[in-house]
Structure formats: structure tokens, C-alpha cells
Amino acid sequence: MNQPRIVVLTGAGISAESGVRTFRDNGGLWEEHRVEDVATPDAWAFDPEMVWRFYQARRRQLLEVQPNGAHLALALLQKNMKQFTLITQNVDDLHERGGSSDVIHMHGELRTLRCEASQRSEVRMQASDLTDDVSLCSCCANPVRMRPDIVWFGEIPMHMEAILNAVETCEVFIVVGSSGHVYPAAGLVDQANNAGARTILVNLEAPVNASAFDEILLGPAGELLPQLVDRLISDND
Ligand code: APR
């Protein structure tokens, strides 16, 4: 049987059951912090220490959390599908640690830092990289400050060409754990619909763009996604 080309887009909700806070739920990160204070280029220019402390705390948290059943289910789906692309808005590394490969991180990654001069990113997760002290790059003759390797509000998401290529040619498009507020990620379902794909949503509550989906599965991703993955695998054996 011809397997469908599957694209999955994940958001903060997929990591919620691992203990990573989402942004816009009750108790989410944006309840405690103003986006303008910690997640914009202006914030970094105005108060780099505050921005640095915010991201260093989140980087340290990576050492304490584990992938959940939803991350593992997507790794299983990838192993069973010939044409599969995983796009995530998440900056954690739980997809990779759950067994997924070639994950496209459109909003950057916590485990890497970026040299402000060369723009080169490198994995920096040693204990000495995780303190509140400034990290200096290893690529420049005169080492310069590194910034979080995160796409802030007002910056262009990463890998957009690869993302659009995958979405515009997919046959099944699945979104997991995203509130549908942040573009361009929230608009990818429209591109998938235009491409004629079947669009499926797995989310705790109906997001703002719920009406764009053909099938909506409401509940915790750790429970619902393994069931959906089993169904997709057995439908396409
Ligand atoms: N299972 C499934 N969905 C869940 C779960 C769960 N266990 N827990 C929460 N959710 C859902 C919530 O109902 C919500 O709709 O996940 C969604 C999380 O939404 P947001 O916090 O807005 O996260 P996300 O959509 O990924 O945010 C997009 O915003 O601040 C930026 O750059 C940040 O990448 C992020 C972007």
C-alpha cells in the first residue's frame, strides 16, 4: 500500500505532561513574564541579564524532564512511515530524546547557544554553560557573548523553506498541543488544507484555529496520540 506523506507540527502542549510549562494555559509562562521583557530582541538589548536568567532556568530544566508517551508515539510513527516530517515550535529536546530524528525546530532550541558575531550555533549543555554567568563563544578569535538560540517575537522562524515544502506536499497534517495563536505556525494548517491534506488536531482544548481541522481529538496528548499513531500505522501497513 502507498503510505501517505505525513507532517506533524507540535507545540508546547506535547511537553506539558513531561512537566514543561506551556505559554498560554493557566499557570503558563506568559502569566508570570511579559513577552516584551524576555522574548524579544529589544528585551535582549535592554536587559540581557534578565533574558539570560529566564532562558538559563529553562535550559537547566531540560536536565530534569523526560519525554512522555506522546513524544514516543511520534518516534514510532516516524519509524513506520517512509515519508515523515516532524516540525516543532518547541525549544526543548524531548522529541530527540524520545527517539525522533531530523526534527525541525522552527523556534530554535534551548540546548544550543548562538554566537552573536558569527551566528554559529553550538550545543552548550555542560554544567559550566548552565550558570547565570555569560557564555562566550568558541568560534571567534576574541570570544564574544552568546545569545539564546531562540526565535524571539519579531524574528523570522527558522527553516521556513523546508517547512513549506513539506506542508505543501503532505497528505496528512497533524497538529499536537498548540493554541494556534502564533504565526506562521498557526497558519500551516491552512496551507495543508490548500494542498488537499487530511488535517487532524490533538489538543487538550479547542484552539483558536480549531475550525480549520477535519478531525479534532480533544484530551491529553500522552493518551490520545499513541492511539492515533496506532491507527495510522495499522491503516497504512
Ligand atoms: N495535551 C495536549 N494539549 C495540551 C496539553 C496536553 N497534555 N496541555 C496543554 N495543551 C494545549 C493547550 O490547551 C494549548 O492549546 O497546548 C496548547 C499550548 O498552547 P501555547 O501555550 O500557546 O503553546 P504553543 O501553541 O506551542 O505556543 C506557540 O508561542 O510563546 C510562543 O514561541 C512560543 O513556540 C511558542 C509559541
Side-chain angles (χ1 to χ4, degrees):
M1 186 191 247
N2 261 355
Q3 289 189 339
R5 285 188 288 275
I6 299 183
V7 173
V8 179
L9 169 69
T10 63
I14 197 169
S15 296
E17 288 157 78
S18 294
V20 180
R21 286 165 76 182
T22 62
F23 297 96
R24 293 173 187 80
D25 292 311
N26 281 341
L29 277 171
W30 295 156
E31 238 174 37
E32 203 173 296
H33 302 272
R34 288 185 348 133
V35 168
E36 301 78 22
D37 291 340
V38 292
T40 64
D42 282 353
W44 180 240
F46 179 71
D47 192 348
E49 287 83 13
M50 188 209 273
V51 174
W52 186 247
R53 281 196 306 273
F54 174 74
Y55 284 101
Q56 287 297 80
R58 297 183 63 204
R59 279 160 45 73
R60 287 192 289 268
Q61 197 208 8
L62 288 185
L63 303 178
E64 291 159 17
V65 294
Q66 300 299 332
N68 65 57
H71 298 104
L72 303 183
L74 290 182
L76 180 68
L77 186 60
Q78 181 171 34
K79 284 192 184 74
N80 282 272
M81 292 290 147
K82 292 189 188 74
Q83 301 179 86
F84 177 89
T85 304
L86 177 53
I87 304 162
T88 187
Q89 298 168 85
N90 297 345
V91 292
D92 65 51
D93 58 356
L94 293 179
H95 282 306
E96 286 85 353
R97 288 203 271 136
S100 293
S101 52
D102 304 318
V103 183
I104 300 179
H105 284 270
M106 67 186 294
H107 292 166
E109 290 189 70
L110 285 170
R111 65 182 176 167
T112 51
L113 294 174
R114 193 189 318 158
C115 167
E116 287 203 279
S118 74
Q119 305 303 319
R120 267 189 46 191
S121 299
E122 46 181 285
V123 175
R124 294 287 287 262
M125 287 296 289
Q126 299 299 316
S128 57
D129 301 315
L130 296 171
T131 69
D132 285 342
D133 296 336
V134 170
S135 283
L136 297 177
C137 75
S138 57
C139 52
C140 296
N142 294 315
V144 302
R145 185 178 71 170
M146 299 190 94
R147 59 164 273 179
D149 199 10
I150 300 293
V151 176
W152 285 320
F153 285 89
E155 297 184 315
I156 297 169
M158 297 172 178
H159 315 296
M160 280 313 292
E161 197 180 330
I163 289 171
L164 290 176
N165 280 340
V167 173
E168 284 167 359
T169 56
C170 75
E171 291 155 295
V172 176
F173 181 73
I174 304 167
V175 175
V176 186
S178 183
S179 64
H181 279 102
V182 175
Y183 284 79
L188 292 176
V189 63
D190 300 321
Q191 270 127 330
N193 280 323
N194 289 341
R198 174 165 183 72
T199 51
I200 307 173
L201 171 76
V202 178
N203 212 61
L204 201 53
E205 299 164 346
V208 288
N209 59 352
S211 63
F213 291 87
D214 297 319
E215 181 178 348
I216 298 182
L217 303 167
L218 292 186
E223 275 173 37
L224 296 186
L225 198 56
Q227 294 167 15
L228 174 63
V229 163
D230 282 349
R231 179 179 15 128
L232 290 167
I233 292 173
S234 60
D235 283 355
N236 295 290
D237 253 352

